[in-house]
Each structure stands twice: as structure tokens, then as C-alpha cells.
Amino acid sequence: MTPEEYIEKLKEVQRTLDSVKEDLDRAIDKMQRRIETGYESMEQQSRLAALAGREYVKLADSSIYEVATSKIEY
């Protein structure tokens, strides 16, 4: 892997982690709306958003490991 490819892969992981933040923000927002409105569907949507974030974390984990253990060729 070239240094440029290494950097690009890390940027991809960073974008994945940005998606995790968005999912967790959405989960928090849905639970706050659940508290305010009492709608049970908001709780389920919150849980689904959190689980989506978890899947992105697993994807990022694999990608970080792959990049961190790759050989950089100059």
C-alpha cells in the first residue's frame, strides 16, 4: 500500500466514524422525543439508530485493523 492509499483508507474510516456519530445523534434525538411525546415508536427508532451505529463501528474496526497492519511501500 502506498502512503497515499494509506491516507485515503484512513479518511474512509473517518467518514464511517462520522456516520456512527450521526446514528448516535439520531438515537439520542429519538429517545428525547420519546420522553417528550410518550410515543413508543420513538424508542424503537432510537434503538435501531444505535444498532446501525454499532454496525458502522464493526466496519470501522475491521478497516482500521487492515490499514494499521498493512505494509507501506515507498
Side-chain angles (χ1 to χ4, degrees):
M1 176 179 296
T2 67
E4 292 81 12
E5 290 171 328
Y6 178 84
I7 290 168
E8 186 55 40
K9 292 279 187 178
L10 288 176
K11 286 181 179 181
E12 287 175 19
V13 171
Q14 194 171 43
R15 287 188 291 271
T16 300
L17 292 174
D18 288 343
S19 293
V20 172
K21 183 183 178 328
E22 290 173 12
D23 285 332
L24 294 179
D25 286 344
R26 186 171 22 265
I28 291 166
D29 179 61
K30 296 293 184 183
M31 189 55 71
Q32 286 174 335
R33 290 175 53 195
R34 160 71 163 115
I35 292 167
E36 293 167 4
T37 65
Y39 294 140
E40 290 182 29
S41 64
M42 292 291 128
E43 182 176 334
Q44 183 174 357
Q45 290 177 27
S46 175
R47 291 175 189 273
L48 291 173
L51 288 172
R54 180 177 180 266
E55 292 301 314
Y56 278 121
V57 167
K58 291 189 313 188
L59 178 63
D61 175 55
S62 297
S63 297
I64 291 170
Y65 183 77
E66 177 186 335
V67 171
T69 59
S70 66
K71 180 173 171 56
I72 305 299
E73 297 178 11
Y74 291 91

